[in-house]
Amino acid sequence: MRKLYQTEWHGIPFTSFATLSSHRLADALFYKSFYQTFFQTYQDWEELDSDWVKLKLLTATFLKQFIGSDRGRKILSIGCGTGIIEKNLMDEGFDNLEMTEIADEPLHWIKPHVSQEKIHIGSFPSCLPQEKRYHLIYLAGVEYYLDQPQLINFLKDVKFYLYPQGSCLMISWSYYFTSWIKSFLHGSIDIVKYFCERAGLRHRGQWWGYLRKSEEFHQAMSSAGFKEIYDGFLAKTGQWDTYWISGSKE
């Protein structure tokens, strides 16, 4: 894995509401402050970057293809964020869709469209009743925050909440390619940025999470006990390479 740093998101500089840390992951207070600023800046999904919105809608289209024609399947979205993917699925008749989010703040736009019992606030899996089961659980842009042991344990919890033969689908914007040249360049750049920060010349930004290779995604799914593991790409834009990987519960 490779550490990921960011200085802004959706055009909002992190320094406008927080002190950046390259040694500590963004915490709940950081995300709460971000979304307060976010919803002061934007009033609707249509105001967001059009390329980002198109990518989210492409992800929703892929999900519909992955699910198939059975709109009655029970589906759980973990960490739905502002809910643009979930809104699209519900508009297409996926009425058994439920969602989790770590806090209430990101749900400002999606909550008016969802019945309260289908939203679970808090950390997964503690936010869910033990008896819940789903045919599909998907994570879109969630895994980046977890290191490898944490991700494996997280996926084991996902597997617990699936019906037999149920599927887990991870969609990631935190994939990176593994050619030795790119690995060497990335490593060299990281070292330079580290020493520039130590010298007070430049801040690397907020430690945002982790970038993963396909081998690391496969290892996490396999170690969590999933079978029939497949992967691929939704899009390769250079800005937002969209990788997916799925596994089935026996």
Side-chain angles (χ1 to χ4, degrees), residues 22-220:
S22 60
H23 308 290
R24 186 177 66 254
L25 281 167
D27 57 16
L29 179 60
F30 182 99
Y31 280 96
K32 180 176 181 178
S33 299
F34 170 81
Y35 277 108
Q36 287 173 346
T37 306
F38 177 88
F39 289 116
Q40 290 168 3
T41 307
Y42 302 107
Q43 304 304 312
D44 191 83
W45 289 297
E46 293 181 358
E47 296 183 6
L48 301 177
D49 182 288
S50 60
D51 290 333
W52 184 87
V53 172
K54 287 177 185 176
L55 187 63
K56 291 289 184 173
L57 295 178
L58 175 66
T59 303
T61 298
F62 172 75
L63 271 163
K64 286 179 277 189
Q65 294 170 345
F66 187 90
I67 296 164
S69 59
D70 185 2
R71 279 162 167 65
R73 299 180 77 192
K74 293 182 178 179
I75 304 167
L76 179 68
S77 166
I78 296 181
C80 70
T82 62
I84 190 169
I85 295 172
E86 290 69 28
K87 176 66 164 56
N88 185 270
L89 290 176
M90 291 186 295
D91 287 346
E92 294 287 332
F94 291 89
D95 297 326
N96 282 334
L97 173 66
E98 299 180 20
M99 56 200 75
T100 79
E101 185 52 67
I102 191 70
D104 192 61
E105 282 77 17
L107 304 173
H108 181 64
W109 290 341
I110 191 66
K111 281 183 75 174
H113 305 282
V114 188
S115 57
Q116 187 173 353
E117 68 272 10
K118 292 185 177 180
I119 297 178
H120 309 279
I121 304 295
S123 300
F124 176 86
S126 58
C127 64
L128 287 176
Q130 285 273 317
E131 68 274 10
K132 284 282 187 179
R133 294 295 182 274
Y134 302 92
H135 297 102
L136 169 68
I137 297 177
Y138 72 88
L139 302 77
V142 172
E143 86 302 327
Y144 73 92
Y145 193 78
L146 305 169
D147 65 23
Q148 199 70 352
Q150 289 170 334
L151 179 58
I152 291 168
N153 288 331
F154 192 94
L155 291 172
K156 288 178 179 178
D157 290 329
V158 168
K159 187 159 67 74
F160 174 84
Y161 280 93
L162 286 169
Y163 286 119
Q165 285 78 56
S167 298
C168 169
L169 174 64
M170 274 197 292
I171 299 167
S172 175
W173 292 282
S174 303
Y175 175 93
Y176 80 98
F177 297 96
T178 57
S179 71
W180 72 267
I181 295 176
K182 286 191 175 183
S183 295
F184 175 77
L185 288 174
H186 287 155
S188 300
I189 291 169
D190 288 343
I191 291 171
V192 170
K193 287 181 177 179
Y194 170 78
F195 282 109
C196 284
E197 183 178 64
R198 290 294 299 270
L201 300 175
R202 181 190 178 193
H203 200 290
R204 282 181 291 178
Q206 175 62 44
W207 180 17
W208 200 240
Y210 301 93
L211 298 165
R212 280 184 171 83
K213 300 175 285 189
S214 58
E215 294 91 338
E216 290 164 328
F217 282 103
H218 274 267
Q219 190 266 338

Side-chain angles (χ1 to χ4, degrees), residues 222-233:
S222 177
S223 296
F226 285 101
K227 308 299 181 184
E228 298 181 17
I229 299 172
Y230 302 98
D231 69 345
F233 284 92

